[in-house]
Amino acid sequence: MKSEILLGDEAVGLGAIHAGLYKAYSYPGTPASEIMEYLIKASQKRKNFHASWCVNEKVAYEEALGVSFAGRRSLVSMKHVGLNVAADPFMNSAVTGTNGGLVVAVADDPSMHSSQNEQDSRYYAHFAQVFCFEPSNPQEAYEMTRKAFDISEKTNVPVMVRLVTRLSHSRSRVQPYPSQKPDSIQYGKWEDWTLLPVNARRRFKILVEKQPNLVELSNRSEFNSLTLNKKNSQLGIITSGIAYNYVLENYLQNNAIPSLLKIGAYPLPANLIQDLVRQVETLLIVEEGYPFIEKNLRGQFGISGKKIKGKLSGDLPLTGELSPDLVRKALEMPPYSTHFLEDSPLASRPPKLCQGCPHADTFHALNEVLRSRSGANVFSDIGCYTLGALPPYNAVHTCVCMGASVSMAKGGADAGVDPSIAVIGDSTFAHSGITPLLDAARVKANMTVIILDNEVVAMTGGQPTFASGEELDRIARGVGVEEKHIRVITPLPKNKEKNIRVMKEEIDYKGLSVIIASRECVQEARKRKKKRG
Amino acid sequence: MKQDVILAGVGGQGILSIAFVIDNAALKESLNFKQAEVHGMAQRGGAVQSHLRLSDSSIYSDLIPKGKADMILSVEPLETLRYLEYLAPEGLIITSQSPYENIPDYPDRDKVINQVRKVNEARLIDSLKLARKAGSAKTQNMVMLGAASRHLIIKEKNLLRFIQVLFESRGRSLVDMNIQAFYLGQEAVKT
Ligand SMILES: Cc1ncc(C[n+]2csc(CCOP(=O)(O)OP(=O)(O)O)c2C)c(N)n1
Ligand code: SF4
């Protein structure tokens, strides 16, 4: 087969297709979005599988689980914080077990290039007691994803493929191999899939009893490899995923690589670790993310007679992503000589709202209204509009997790914040803003929700949104917001005075209002024009 | 044989298009390559950079170690300075001298240019002027690729071939414009 140039994300997509994928689901989120983007494009050409965006990660996961129940192979992909949203079905699907192979591809974001935290998804795999792969390059991402489906069917648990930003967005050559066809339908047994206590207790016991088997699979996995250097009994290195590349980079011109255990499959391969530990005095653990391997190895008391170096010992930083340079330092090698900037620090060039962005007009009007209202708080959410927290807008005051603007505004109103305002994008509203609005509508909470409807999921690259325009109006009415307090504005400079008036009226109203600010994202409008030619 | 290049610029300048052309040309020549890029937030006028590594043997790290880049190829002079610490002592800079001033605290232009010039092997290109000459300011990225072309370990004909592939779907005239931009950049380095 012809080799292809693929991002780590895309290699996961191709691996899934070649493993006989039947259906894939996802909700956008950097750095995982390109998995689904690749699958959607490919599905338009191949037609023997389907791929679609979902309204949020929990829904995506559950849809994938439904496919698995029906005996077919499914993939669900998301960014790391998406797994928090999907954590409930994820944890429970380990207990029900899977039928058709179920693979969950999760992309972590160490250094928080575009995220709120740097949580390490390996902890989730460990927590749910399922198998997990961690590729170090696009080729492995392809191979491991294929293998993940087999392991899922062999062990009847979902299997995680854990990526990190640097791999998700690293491009290189991938050599594929012949693909297999999707399976036909074959239903799961209801007594395994109905987690009444009587069934759940039995199923959970089965999951726990599987664990030694998973460790054995990991010991024997071709993706865990131990290479011993009998001449060096001093240092041994344990490394995983992308961090492996940084270690090897530093031994390029040097044949004397210390004993090295490369981990690409979890649970931790206990036998291989023991073989290495026996051989050396000092262990250096190099891993991207939290010190997961290091903590497991060290336990509460360490290993007697051995020195363990890594993030917990301070040899590598506990926050931010690794680099070949940081690993070089931990290996006690001198840095390379280089050029230095004389006039540092350099002016930074942060991302900002595009020229002509509809969100900017909404913020200008809102700021104008709030200038005369002390005690106001604007609870915000996640999307392009979060950039409204920065100058020149300084318009919003919180950003925690998707949907939190509406619920926090309700909490704020309960606590006496007045005016209490939520701003939330259309996609984020569909993702997890509707349920808290229902909650607020039940008690007519004294708050104003501004839905920033730019007709697209802009922040993550322009994926389709699930509710826009008229639909948002109907949803607001449906959950019980009074019709006369649902207002629609068009955020444009020429409408500023009109929009200020509407905002004033609704913010002054002592009850629940929804303002839908509708205008298309300018980037999206541009893309649409380009396509039309 | 290996070559490590930092590609730099501002979101919207087409840094990833340069990478696309080089990646595909490298595959064509059976060279190994790795190219790490930034997606997401950085799309909106923020700094964009890509680590591009070419070699006829194995490549490990996706990121170029500091002090190991053979070249900084940049479509914006301030962005060139941002990655100076990646450049090898004898490394080469090929940069646009046309500033993209979308921040309030953009430093004095002459200061920026002078700092770039302090690096022995620096070639400054008036990419904006040449791109306009080719037909559109948007072709600055291809001007810069042209300027770098004689210094890359990739054959010119393969670069041109994938410029063609990149723009083909959007019409003959866009292909021609970008190829002209490439040649204008190439000539500018000679003189
Ligand atoms: C649980 C979770 N999933 C996904 C993301 C990634 N993400 C950040 S903002 C966003 C959506 C933004 O869309 P929208 O609310 O419509 O605002 P816009 O960017 O269009 O202004 C997404 C998917 C996230 N931060 N958290
Ligand atoms: S991408 Fe769209 S929504 Fe985001 S800042 Fe630009 S115009 Fe605004």
Side-chain angles (χ1 to χ4, degrees):
Chain A
M1 286 172 94
K2 234 179 90 194
S3 55
E4 300 187 35
I5 299 178
L6 296 176
L7 287 175
D9 274 355
E10 296 170 336
V12 169
L14 187 65
I17 296 170
H18 287 178
L21 177 73
Y22 190 72
K23 184 91 212 209
Y25 305 93
S26 183
Y27 181 75
T30 316
S33 308
E34 290 83 357
I35 300 173
M36 180 50 71
E37 266 158 17
Y38 180 82
L39 285 167
I40 288 176
K41 243 189 232 154
S43 70
Q44 287 158 355
K45 279 189 221 139
R46 291 174 180 252
K47 314 263 186 228
N48 63 340
F49 70 94
H50 311 264
S52 51
W53 294 114
C54 301
V55 71
N56 69 32
E57 294 88 350
K58 179 178 186 306
V59 171
Y61 196 98
E62 289 157 356
E63 292 184 7
L65 193 58
V67 175
S68 170
F69 173 83
R72 291 180 145 154
R73 291 189 160 187
S74 62
L75 177 81
V76 54
S77 60
M78 60 193 72
K79 71 181 291 171
H80 59 343
V81 288
L83 192 52
N84 297 335
V85 177
D88 207 359
F90 174 64
M91 294 299 295
N92 291 315
S93 64
V95 180
T96 59
T98 54
N99 189 19
L102 172 56
V103 174
V104 46
V106 187
D108 293 351
D109 191 16
S111 270
M112 300 181 247
H113 295 280
S114 32
S115 304
Q116 317 99 286
N117 73 30
E118 32 184 79
Q119 66 185 59
D120 186 328
S121 298
R122 292 177 298 170
Y123 278 89
Y124 261 122
H126 177 78
F127 192 21
Q129 308 192 50
V130 300
F131 209 82
C132 171
F133 283 110
E134 190 186 9
S136 63
N137 56 45
Q139 181 69 37
E140 278 187 2
Y142 170 81
E143 291 173 19
M144 286 177 177
T145 305
R146 289 193 67 160
K147 187 80 187 186
F149 282 98
D150 297 339
I151 301 255
S152 173
E153 282 172 10
K154 190 162 165 182
T155 61
N156 293 112
V157 292
V159 174
M160 180 186 288
V161 176
R162 184 232 184 189
L163 307 163
V164 294
T165 304
R166 284 298 166 193
L167 175 59
S168 284
H169 293 166
S170 178
R171 223 179 267 279
S172 66
R173 195 173 68 92
V174 171
Q175 180 61 57
Y177 47 92
S179 56
Q180 60 197 82
K181 284 205 180 65
D183 297 318
S184 53
I185 211 161
Q186 198 167 23
Y187 295 120
K189 288 204 255 7
W190 74 267
E191 62 274 24
D192 289 349
W193 287 74
T194 309
L195 293 183
L196 284 166
V198 56
N199 292 328
R201 286 183 199 118
R202 179 176 56 81
R203 291 298 312 171
F204 185 58
K205 193 151 175 273
I206 291 173
L207 175 63
V208 169
E209 283 168 357
K210 262 180 213 170
Q211 295 307 307
N213 179 27
L214 296 192
V215 174
E216 200 34 45
L217 275 175
S218 178
N219 276 327
R220 284 189 276 115
S221 169
E222 68 266 43
F223 297 112
N224 289 330
S225 60
L226 173 63
T227 317
L228 289 176
N229 175 350
K230 300 268 184 207
K231 286 197 204 119
N232 183 349
S233 60
Q234 264 295 310
L235 180 67
I237 301 174
I238 302 180
T239 183
S240 70
I242 199 107
Y244 166 78
N245 302 344
Y246 303 150
V247 172
L248 274 250
E249 179 75 26
N250 284 301
Y251 286 102
L252 268 185
Q253 288 98 351
N254 181 341
N255 299 325
I257 302 185
S259 295
L260 185 126
L261 172 57
K262 181 193 182 205
I263 294 181
Y266 303 79
L268 289 171
N271 291 359
L272 300 181
I273 292 176
Q274 269 169 4
D275 289 348
L276 176 66
V277 169
R278 256 196 300 270
Q279 177 78 18
V280 298
E281 282 160 31
T282 300
L283 287 147
L284 174 66
I285 321 296
V286 189
E287 57 192 317
E288 189 72 290
Y290 290 7
F292 175 80
I293 302 174
E294 191 180 345
K295 264 203 176 128
N296 270 288
L297 209 66
R298 199 185 275 273
Q300 285 300 314
F301 309 108
I303 306 175
S304 88
K306 309 280 173 178
K307 195 168 162 195
I308 300 176
K309 291 172 40 169
K311 297 191 172 195
L312 295 169
S313 66
D315 290 272
L316 287 161
L318 269 166
T319 61
E321 63 180 352
L322 295 175
S323 67
D325 314 297
L326 288 168
V327 173
R328 190 169 180 82
K329 198 166 152 222
L331 290 168
E332 296 173 20
M333 297 178 182
Y336 301 112
S337 50
T338 179
H339 293 267
F340 287 99
L341 195 63
E342 283 164 17
D343 261 352
S344 58
L346 216 53
S348 67
R349 209 188 293 259
K352 52 181 171 197
L353 294 179
C354 306
Q355 199 76 36
C357 173
H359 300 333
D361 290 310
T362 303
F363 287 141
H364 286 312
L366 182 62
N367 278 347
E368 195 69 34
V369 174
L370 295 185
R371 205 167 334 140
S372 56
R373 300 220 175 9
S374 64
N377 202 78
V378 183
F379 297 92
S380 180
D381 229 296
I382 310 185
C384 284
Y385 49 93
T386 315
L387 296 171
L390 306 176
Y393 312 100
N394 304 313
V396 305
H397 309 130
T398 70
C399 160
V400 181
C401 62
M402 290 188 74
S405 60
V406 181
S407 359
M408 285 178 74
K410 161 74 165 53
D414 288 350
V417 173
D418 188 19
S420 186
I421 296 163
V423 297
I424 182 166
D426 48 82
S427 178
T428 305
F429 180 70
H431 178 285
S432 47
I434 301 172
T435 38
L437 188 63
L438 176 60
D439 201 79
R442 276 295 159 274
V443 295
K444 289 207 170 73
N446 179 20
M447 58 189 264
T448 303
V449 176
I450 304 178
I451 304 177
L452 305 167
D453 174 18
N454 59 358
E455 303 173 25
V456 74
V457 195
M459 171 95 162
T460 46
Q463 296 82 5
T465 187
F466 275 75
S468 178
E470 260 298 296
E471 292 157 339
L472 291 170
D473 181 79
R474 281 202 296 271
I475 290 171
R477 261 186 288 158
V479 301
V481 183
E482 289 171 278
E483 213 169 318
K484 62 175 189 259
H485 291 290
I486 302 172
R487 312 284 295 269
V488 179
I489 62 173
T490 307
L492 274 169
K494 65 170 187 197
N495 294 344
K496 188 168 174 192
E497 291 312 315
K498 212 180 351 172
N499 293 345
I500 287 175
R501 225 177 312 125
V502 172
M503 285 183 188
K504 266 195 185 140
E505 285 167 18
E506 295 311 327
I507 286 171
D508 287 344
Y509 167 60
K510 297 285 172 217
L512 177 63
S513 313
V514 170
I515 300 173
I516 304 168
S518 277
R519 177 157 75 83
E520 190 183 18
C521 155
V522 296
Q523 293 292 348
E524 215 35 44
R526 211 168 286 159
K527 260 195 253 167
R528 219 162 23 85
K529 267 193 216 127
K530 222 182 199 175
K531 257 193 222 144
R532 262 197 264 122
Chain B
M1 186 171 65
K2 72 112 191 163
Q3 193 165 45
D4 289 328
V5 183
I6 299 271
L7 298 173
V10 179
Q13 283 192 318
I15 307 316
L16 297 185
S17 299
I18 301 181
F20 172 89
V21 173
I22 303 181
D23 289 356
N24 280 280
L27 182 70
K28 180 93 200 130
E29 295 183 21
S30 301
L31 281 175
N32 291 320
F33 72 92
K34 270 199 177 183
Q35 184 231 324
E37 54 196 51
V38 184
H39 293 195
M41 290 270 267
Q43 287 164 352
R44 277 161 274 282
V48 173
Q49 127 281 95
S50 173
H51 291 227
L52 176 61
R53 316 194 71 183
L54 306 166
S55 175
D56 56 6
S57 51
S58 302
I59 302 170
Y60 288 101
S61 174
D62 309 75
L63 298 173
I64 300 169
K66 288 178 179 156
K68 281 296 192 184
D70 302 292
M71 185 193 297
I72 295 177
L73 172 53
S74 172
V75 190
E76 210 282 341
L78 177 64
E79 294 311 311
T80 303
L81 294 180
R82 208 177 293 292
Y83 307 104
L84 218 49
E85 60 180 345
Y86 283 93
L87 193 65
E90 66 291 351
L92 169 67
I93 290 181
I94 299 183
T95 179
S96 161
Q97 64 187 43
S98 319
Y100 188 109
E101 297 185 45
N102 66 343
I103 44 172
D105 52 345
Y106 195 97
D108 183 73
R109 290 171 177 223
D110 293 338
K111 259 198 186 158
V112 171
I113 300 292
N114 284 338
Q115 280 214 48
V116 175
R117 278 196 211 283
K118 286 208 178 110
V119 176
N120 273 344
E121 297 292 325
R123 313 266 189 283
L124 286 106
I125 311 288
D126 193 342
S127 62
L128 188 58
K129 192 173 112 196
L130 296 174
R132 287 201 176 120
K133 196 167 161 192
S136 163
K138 286 196 184 140
T139 61
Q140 281 191 80
N141 56 348
M142 292 300 132
V143 170
M144 294 314 302
L145 177 59
S149 58
R150 294 249 161 89
H151 299 277
L152 289 171
I153 58 174
I154 305 258
K155 291 193 187 77
E156 179 179 324
K157 72 162 196 240
N158 287 324
L159 295 174
L160 287 166
R161 176 186 182 136
F162 287 101
I163 295 178
Q164 163 109 22
V165 171
L166 181 60
F167 294 103
E168 192 159 65
S169 66
R170 294 174 32 214
R172 187 69 237 166
S173 68
L174 213 64
V175 173
D176 291 344
M177 191 196 287
N178 279 282
I179 286 182
Q180 205 204 337
F182 177 94
Y183 281 127
L184 287 172
Q186 193 174 56
E187 272 164 42
V189 175
K190 261 192 294 183
T191 52

